Amino acid sequence: MVEGTVRSFVTETGDLWEDRKGASASGNEGNPICGVSYKPKSQEDAEDVDLVTAFAHLTIVCDGMYSTLRKSLIRDPKIELPSFFVGLLMKRGEGKDDDGCEIALPFPNHGHVVLADPSPILFYPISSTETRCLIDIRAKKLPRVSTGELAAYLREKVAPQVPQALRGAFLKAVDEGRVRSMQNKLMPAEVFTCDGALMLGDAFNMRHPLTGGGMTVALHDSKLLCDMLAQLKDFGSKPVVTRATKAFHTKRKPWAATINTLANALYKVFCRTGEEWNEEMQSACFDYLSLGGMYSQGPISLLGGLNPRPFVLVAHFFMVALYGIGRLLRPFPTPKGLVIGVQLLMGACAIILPIIRAEGIVRVFAPFLLGEKAAMGKTKGRQQGPGGKRKAA
């Protein structure tokens, strides 16, 4: 295995590959991607080093959320920046509660979501002695670390909302500076085709990490793509590879969109707005899961990717909303209850419908209505001789 930093795509002659009209529209006929140019990891600190060219029949782009190659394939990716995650590593034995007991998660070996103000806090064990904490901070800019603003925010705003049994270890992790941060990004998958290249992972599609669905989607996409490529004897003819994977976007969409919609919708529900309908929605969500049976098994199977069906997701989402409305109208309707109920229903629609629209309503719920060209766009690239001219790197 060779490690290095990829700088650009290359053509068949090793020259810099350039997108002619944007990969989301036709215009790259006869312009396949034939490999990459990169700087070897062993020479990353060196200056004036010539880039190395690696030729391949198929280049799979999966360079993560900060992808530098994305814009070469998708001209105008629709990326949203809703918040930051600030992470802490808490270690067992580093804090005790007021009764002198060792810190422990309320439910050992389970993930926990704290519905804090203004956005959720996550706790989950990563080993027998360590627990990771992720604090969502809704802001365009993160409080500065160098001036102590971030540490002060964590101590004064977040710590009082942390469960008492975890507060000591939380504060110690803040004091010792075991803090890391990352920008959360949302990006619906764009349909594109370009002979010689495919995209996977966060470079291709992102959702809020609240539910941890990124790896679930990435693994499913990888398995789906492997099954499509397995029918080929080799990857020598780029147009043949493109035709073999032309249904990738269509087949993955209902599955991936369910995980994406669930993550983004739950995040919006769990973020406090100060409005009564929002608080009722949060309470209804928690109590709905507490009913057990299908009311907990259905949402949990969606979260785990075991039953990622769009109709099941929408059904449970609005069942939560109707459950909340029903509670507002008991034991008998009141003007205030009716008003909050209407606001709750409108708020639920305002949360989930834009997310589904961004994913593509027809692609999510009725992909069978799409023809082959609509499913993947027009195939770009001209038929090459079988076997190709380059060996895979």
Side-chain angles (χ1 to χ4, degrees):
M1 178 181 291
V2 178
E3 292 187 64
T5 302
V6 175
R7 297 300 177 85
S8 63
F9 297 117
V10 297
T11 64
E12 189 176 21
T13 59
D15 297 326
L16 176 67
W17 181 89
E18 293 184 357
D19 183 20
R20 291 179 181 171
K21 286 191 178 180
S24 59
S26 60
N28 277 315
E29 280 197 28
N31 187 34
I33 290 173
C34 297
V36 297
S37 62
Y38 70 96
K39 191 173 185 179
K41 185 176 181 180
S42 59
Q43 301 177 8
E44 284 184 351
D45 296 331
E47 298 181 2
D48 299 327
V49 176
D50 292 334
L51 298 178
V52 179
T53 300
F55 292 100
H57 295 309
L58 179 62
T59 301
I60 297 179
V61 179
C62 48
D63 55 340
M65 64 186 297
Y66 299 106
S67 174
T68 58
L69 301 174
R70 182 190 295 124
K71 286 189 176 180
S72 297
L73 297 174
I74 301 174
R75 173 172 290 182
D76 185 24
K78 299 175 178 61
I79 300 176
E80 296 180 37
L81 308 175
S83 63
F84 292 87
F85 255 169
V86 173
L88 299 175
L89 185 62
M90 306 186 328
K91 298 183 179 180
R92 182 173 296 176
E94 289 190 342
K96 296 185 178 182
D97 62 20
D98 293 342
D99 297 325
C101 299
E102 287 286 343
I103 63 130
L105 290 169
F107 296 92
N109 304 319
H110 287 71
H112 295 66
V113 180
V114 177
L115 301 185
D117 183 15
S119 49
I121 306 171
L122 306 182
F123 293 93
Y124 55 93
I126 58 174
S127 73
S128 59
T129 60
E130 295 175 314
T131 297
R132 179 171 291 157
C133 171
L134 296 176
I135 304 103
D136 186 86
I137 298 180
R138 299 176 68 192
K140 293 183 178 180
K141 290 185 178 180
L142 199 64
R144 291 187 178 182
V145 177
S146 58
T147 60
E149 291 179 15
L150 180 58
Y153 177 87
L154 296 176
R155 289 193 199 95
E156 298 168 9
K157 178 71 174 178
V158 178
Q161 303 183 72
V162 171
Q164 184 177 330
L166 301 170
R167 199 170 300 156
F170 178 90
L171 290 171
K172 183 164 185 178
V174 173
D175 292 339
E176 293 186 354
R178 292 198 298 267
V179 181
R180 300 292 184 270
S181 64
M182 61 170 278
Q183 174 80 68
N184 293 328
K185 297 185 178 184
L186 314 181
M187 186 185 76
E190 289 279 346
V191 177
F192 83 97
T193 53
C194 187
D195 287 348
L198 292 166
M199 292 178 67
L200 288 174
D202 284 349
F204 176 51
N205 182 205
M206 292 179 284
R207 76 291 308 149
H208 196 281
L210 174 69
T211 61
M215 190 58 72
T216 305
V217 173
L219 290 173
H220 177 268
D221 284 356
S222 299
K223 174 63 167 57
L224 175 62
L225 185 58
C226 285
D227 291 342
M228 290 181 166
L229 295 175
Q231 61 186 303
L232 301 176
K233 292 182 179 180
D234 58 53
F235 304 148
S237 175
K238 292 179 175 57
V240 171
V241 173
T242 300
R243 286 197 296 272
T245 58
K246 64 186 176 184
F248 173 70
H249 292 76
T250 303
K251 287 186 176 181
R252 74 175 292 278
K253 176 57 78 170
W255 203 96
T258 302
I259 303 295
N260 296 344
T261 303
L262 178 62
N264 296 340
L266 271 183
Y267 174 68
K268 290 191 175 183
V269 169
F270 288 167
C271 287
R272 292 191 178 180
T273 63
E275 298 176 273
E276 286 191 67
W277 73 263
N278 175 253
E279 295 182 6
E280 288 292 339
M281 187 73 172
Q282 287 187 356
S283 179
C285 184
F286 181 83
D287 292 341
Y288 181 87
L289 292 172
S290 300
L291 293 174
M294 62 167 285
Y295 305 105
S296 62
Q297 292 174 2
I300 295 303
S301 67
L302 290 167
L303 277 170
L306 301 177
N307 184 30
R309 299 179 183 178
F311 286 104
V312 175
L313 168 62
V314 172
H316 278 288
F317 186 83
F318 282 105
M319 283 171 67
V320 170
L322 293 175
Y323 177 70
I325 294 171
R327 299 196 312 175
L328 288 168
L329 302 182
R330 288 201 304 258
F332 53 84
T334 63
K336 181 179 180 181
L338 287 170
V339 170
I340 297 175
V342 171
Q343 291 175 338
L344 195 157
L345 183 59
M346 293 177 62
C349 292
I351 286 173
I352 197 168
L353 294 182
I355 299 173
I356 294 176
R357 190 181 301 116
E359 292 284 348
I361 296 175
V362 176
R363 293 184 186 279
V364 173
F365 293 101
F368 56 87
L369 295 178
L370 299 173
E372 288 187 359
K373 288 186 178 180
M376 272 296 286
K378 295 181 180 179
T379 301
K380 305 173 184 64
R382 188 168 50 211
Q383 179 73 35
Q384 296 179 1
K389 294 186 178 182
R390 303 286 181 181
K391 292 184 178 180

